[in-house]
Amino acid sequence: LACSVLRREKAEALRAVRSNGDRLEFVSEKLRGNKEVVLEAVRQNGLALGYASAKLRADKEVVLAAVREEGTAFTCASDDLREDKEVVLEAVRNFSDSLEYASENLRADKDVVLEAVKKSGVALEYA
């Protein structure tokens, strides 16, 4: 019975976040830690990353999906992923000010800074 209830909750959560990723805020804590549910949410609205469990805010696949949809979602990424060049590059491609939240090493990385500046020269202030 409990398994059936959980499957039904998950199906309802998936339907909800597919139409509005922000609805992740209202699903159970357990489902905010479910990768399938969170991926659906961040693909619809990258900022839903802020409602995901800490474990999934540190999951590279989830964070990449979020920053591809909305670069500002990078502000919700774990510290470890703020040091991941692939994640940072994707974030600054979509929102150059994401450079501000990157690790110190990556804020000094030529490739990362150039990518951010392509989007907006203002990003230089974070380098």
Side-chain angles (χ1 to χ4, degrees), residues 38-117:
V38 172
L39 273 171
E40 285 295 328
V42 300
R43 285 178 180 141
Q44 198 284 324
N45 181 344
L47 294 175
L49 183 63
Y51 303 118
S53 69
K55 180 180 177 184
L56 291 179
R57 289 193 312 269
D59 183 285
K60 187 172 180 173
E61 181 184 2
V62 171
V63 173
L64 278 170
V67 300
R68 283 180 181 130
E69 199 289 317
E70 173 58 60
T72 59
F74 185 64
T75 62
C76 302
S78 70
D79 289 343
D80 285 345
L81 289 179
R82 291 174 190 220
E83 296 179 13
D84 184 293
K85 188 170 180 174
E86 181 183 1
V87 173
V88 173
L89 280 168
E90 195 64 42
V92 299
R93 280 184 192 115
N94 292 311
F95 183 65
S96 62
D97 287 0
S98 292
L99 185 61
E100 177 181 6
Y101 303 98
S103 69
E104 189 175 332
N105 283 345
L106 290 177
R107 286 196 311 266
D109 182 278
K110 180 181 172 184
D111 298 331
V112 172
V113 173
L114 284 174
E115 195 63 43
V117 172

